Amino acid sequence: MAFQGKVGNKTQASWLSRVSAIFFNRCLNQPVMLNIKEAVTKIADIRAYSENLMVFRLKLPEGSDFSFVPGQFVMLSIPGLADATGRKISKAYSIASAHGNGIVELCIVKYSNGALSPSLFAKKVGDEVTITGPYGVFAMKKP
């Protein structure tokens, strides 16, 4: 699947569409693999810690090879949610879970006038949301 990025007024096929891209993190002196994928996930659990803070546990599709390391983030979107111009709304959220259990956990704050969070907070367990990623090269250095 090709990932399309928008830069200014120009739409271009993003370099993120490559099957794999290796980046070298100078600060940590280690390579970090970015293998950008899109996954339609189901909300497996929602934990409310306050009226405006919830943790969403997203179940990856069976057999998904969505892979990430601690420190990376995803872009989350809700199918059918768009702005006034028809452009899909997506927001960046840090991954708050460990890799390998088929779950991506996101800790999200609701902003009453936010473009995405009020719609997300109205979702229920079993509803679908889309994540794209992982992004970011900030990762812990291996000992």
PDB file of all heavy atoms in Angstrom, residues 79-93:
ATOM      1  N   PRO A  79     -12.358   5.745  10.729  1.00  0.00           N
ATOM      2  CA  PRO A  79     -12.962   5.630   9.392  1.00  0.00           C
ATOM      3  C   PRO A  79     -14.180   6.544   9.253  1.00  0.00           C
ATOM      4  O   PRO A  79     -15.057   6.567  10.122  1.00  0.00           O
ATOM      5  CB  PRO A  79     -13.355   4.159   9.305  1.00  0.00           C
ATOM      6  CG  PRO A  79     -12.403   3.467  10.231  1.00  0.00           C
ATOM      7  CD  PRO A  79     -12.199   4.439  11.370  1.00  0.00           C
ATOM      8  N   GLY A  80     -14.194   7.350   8.188  1.00  0.00           N
ATOM      9  CA  GLY A  80     -15.315   8.243   7.921  1.00  0.00           C
ATOM     10  C   GLY A  80     -15.198   9.621   8.547  1.00  0.00           C
ATOM     11  O   GLY A  80     -15.982  10.512   8.222  1.00  0.00           O
ATOM     12  N   LEU A  81     -14.228   9.840   9.439  1.00  0.00           N
ATOM     13  CA  LEU A  81     -14.069  11.148  10.076  1.00  0.00           C
ATOM     14  C   LEU A  81     -13.167  12.026   9.210  1.00  0.00           C
ATOM     15  O   LEU A  81     -12.026  11.664   8.920  1.00  0.00           O
ATOM     16  CB  LEU A  81     -13.471  11.001  11.480  1.00  0.00           C
ATOM     17  CG  LEU A  81     -13.320  12.290  12.286  1.00  0.00           C
ATOM     18  CD1 LEU A  81     -14.688  12.911  12.579  1.00  0.00           C
ATOM     19  CD2 LEU A  81     -12.568  12.031  13.578  1.00  0.00           C
ATOM     20  N   ALA A  82     -13.703  13.177   8.786  1.00  0.00           N
ATOM     21  CA  ALA A  82     -12.958  14.086   7.916  1.00  0.00           C
ATOM     22  C   ALA A  82     -13.241  15.527   8.325  1.00  0.00           C
ATOM     23  O   ALA A  82     -14.244  15.813   8.990  1.00  0.00           O
ATOM     24  CB  ALA A  82     -13.356  13.872   6.455  1.00  0.00           C
ATOM     25  N   ASP A  83     -12.359  16.418   7.916  1.00  0.00           N
ATOM     26  CA  ASP A  83     -12.584  17.835   8.199  1.00  0.00           C
ATOM     27  C   ASP A  83     -13.535  18.434   7.169  1.00  0.00           C
ATOM     28  O   ASP A  83     -14.056  17.721   6.300  1.00  0.00           O
ATOM     29  CB  ASP A  83     -11.262  18.601   8.275  1.00  0.00           C
ATOM     30  CG  ASP A  83     -10.495  18.642   6.960  1.00  0.00           C
ATOM     31  OD1 ASP A  83     -11.074  18.321   5.895  1.00  0.00           O
ATOM     32  OD2 ASP A  83      -9.309  18.999   6.992  1.00  0.00           O
ATOM     33  N   ALA A  84     -13.763  19.734   7.230  1.00  0.00           N
ATOM     34  CA  ALA A  84     -14.726  20.406   6.351  1.00  0.00           C
ATOM     35  C   ALA A  84     -14.355  20.308   4.875  1.00  0.00           C
ATOM     36  O   ALA A  84     -15.224  20.386   4.010  1.00  0.00           O
ATOM     37  CB  ALA A  84     -14.865  21.869   6.752  1.00  0.00           C
ATOM     38  N   THR A  85     -13.069  20.102   4.585  1.00  0.00           N
ATOM     39  CA  THR A  85     -12.635  19.991   3.189  1.00  0.00           C
ATOM     40  C   THR A  85     -12.670  18.548   2.689  1.00  0.00           C
ATOM     41  O   THR A  85     -12.335  18.288   1.541  1.00  0.00           O
ATOM     42  CB  THR A  85     -11.205  20.541   3.013  1.00  0.00           C
ATOM     43  OG1 THR A  85     -10.300  19.703   3.737  1.00  0.00           O
ATOM     44  CG2 THR A  85     -11.094  21.977   3.498  1.00  0.00           C
ATOM     45  N   GLY A  86     -13.024  17.613   3.581  1.00  0.00           N
ATOM     46  CA  GLY A  86     -13.078  16.210   3.198  1.00  0.00           C
ATOM     47  C   GLY A  86     -11.799  15.445   3.448  1.00  0.00           C
ATOM     48  O   GLY A  86     -11.696  14.261   3.144  1.00  0.00           O
ATOM     49  N   ARG A  87     -10.803  16.110   4.008  1.00  0.00           N
ATOM     50  CA  ARG A  87      -9.521  15.461   4.286  1.00  0.00           C
ATOM     51  C   ARG A  87      -9.616  14.628   5.559  1.00  0.00           C
ATOM     52  O   ARG A  87     -10.128  15.082   6.580  1.00  0.00           O
ATOM     53  CB  ARG A  87      -8.440  16.527   4.439  1.00  0.00           C
ATOM     54  CG  ARG A  87      -7.067  15.979   4.586  1.00  0.00           C
ATOM     55  CD  ARG A  87      -6.049  17.085   4.548  1.00  0.00           C
ATOM     56  NE  ARG A  87      -4.743  16.536   4.877  1.00  0.00           N
ATOM     57  CZ  ARG A  87      -3.738  17.252   5.287  1.00  0.00           C
ATOM     58  NH1 ARG A  87      -3.861  18.561   5.407  1.00  0.00           N
ATOM     59  NH2 ARG A  87      -2.600  16.693   5.562  1.00  0.00           N
ATOM     60  N   LYS A  88      -9.102  13.400   5.500  1.00  0.00           N
ATOM     61  CA  LYS A  88      -9.104  12.488   6.646  1.00  0.00           C
ATOM     62  C   LYS A  88      -8.373  13.130   7.820  1.00  0.00           C
ATOM     63  O   LYS A  88      -7.303  13.705   7.660  1.00  0.00           O
ATOM     64  CB  LYS A  88      -8.432  11.175   6.261  1.00  0.00           C
ATOM     65  CG  LYS A  88      -8.279  10.189   7.392  1.00  0.00           C
ATOM     66  CD  LYS A  88      -7.679   8.884   6.937  1.00  0.00           C
ATOM     67  CE  LYS A  88      -6.188   9.003   6.836  1.00  0.00           C
ATOM     68  NZ  LYS A  88      -5.514   7.736   6.620  1.00  0.00           N
ATOM     69  N   ILE A  89      -8.964  13.026   9.012  1.00  0.00           N
ATOM     70  CA  ILE A  89      -8.339  13.550  10.223  1.00  0.00           C
ATOM     71  C   ILE A  89      -7.557  12.432  10.884  1.00  0.00           C
ATOM     72  O   ILE A  89      -8.088  11.346  11.123  1.00  0.00           O
ATOM     73  CB  ILE A  89      -9.399  14.097  11.207  1.00  0.00           C
ATOM     74  CG1 ILE A  89     -10.128  15.276  10.588  1.00  0.00           C
ATOM     75  CG2 ILE A  89      -8.750  14.487  12.537  1.00  0.00           C
ATOM     76  CD1 ILE A  89     -11.314  15.764  11.397  1.00  0.00           C
ATOM     77  N   SER A  90      -6.294  12.678  11.164  1.00  0.00           N
ATOM     78  CA  SER A  90      -5.490  11.718  11.908  1.00  0.00           C
ATOM     79  C   SER A  90      -4.594  12.488  12.871  1.00  0.00           C
ATOM     80  O   SER A  90      -4.201  13.619  12.597  1.00  0.00           O
ATOM     81  CB  SER A  90      -4.674  10.828  10.975  1.00  0.00           C
ATOM     82  OG  SER A  90      -3.803  11.597  10.199  1.00  0.00           O
ATOM     83  N   LYS A  91      -4.303  11.855  13.998  1.00  0.00           N
ATOM     84  CA  LYS A  91      -3.473  12.476  15.034  1.00  0.00           C
ATOM     85  C   LYS A  91      -2.415  11.488  15.494  1.00  0.00           C
ATOM     86  O   LYS A  91      -2.610  10.275  15.469  1.00  0.00           O
ATOM     87  CB  LYS A  91      -4.329  12.899  16.246  1.00  0.00           C
ATOM     88  CG  LYS A  91      -5.357  13.961  15.930  1.00  0.00           C
ATOM     89  CD  LYS A  91      -4.703  15.275  15.600  1.00  0.00           C
ATOM     90  CE  LYS A  91      -5.732  16.323  15.225  1.00  0.00           C
ATOM     91  NZ  LYS A  91      -5.140  17.562  14.794  1.00  0.00           N
ATOM     92  N   ALA A  92      -1.295  12.026  15.962  1.00  0.00           N
ATOM     93  CA  ALA A  92      -0.179  11.211  16.431  1.00  0.00           C
ATOM     94  C   ALA A  92      -0.334  10.888  17.918  1.00  0.00           C
ATOM     95  O   ALA A  92      -0.650  11.771  18.713  1.00  0.00           O
ATOM     96  CB  ALA A  92       1.132  11.951  16.202  1.00  0.00           C
ATOM     97  N   TYR A  93      -0.112   9.613  18.260  1.00  0.00           N
ATOM     98  CA  TYR A  93      -0.150   9.174  19.655  1.00  0.00           C
ATOM     99  C   TYR A  93       1.000   8.214  19.907  1.00  0.00           C
ATOM    100  O   TYR A  93       1.250   7.301  19.113  1.00  0.00           O
ATOM    101  CB  TYR A  93      -1.475   8.474  19.981  1.00  0.00           C
ATOM    102  CG  TYR A  93      -2.662   9.398  19.897  1.00  0.00           C
ATOM    103  CD1 TYR A  93      -3.517   9.357  18.807  1.00  0.00           C
ATOM    104  CD2 TYR A  93      -2.917  10.330  20.898  1.00  0.00           C
ATOM    105  CE1 TYR A  93      -4.607  10.214  18.708  1.00  0.00           C
ATOM    106  CE2 TYR A  93      -4.003  11.193  20.813  1.00  0.00           C
ATOM    107  CZ  TYR A  93      -4.838  11.131  19.726  1.00  0.00           C
ATOM    108  OH  TYR A  93      -5.906  11.986  19.638  1.00  0.00           O
TER     109      TYR A  93
END
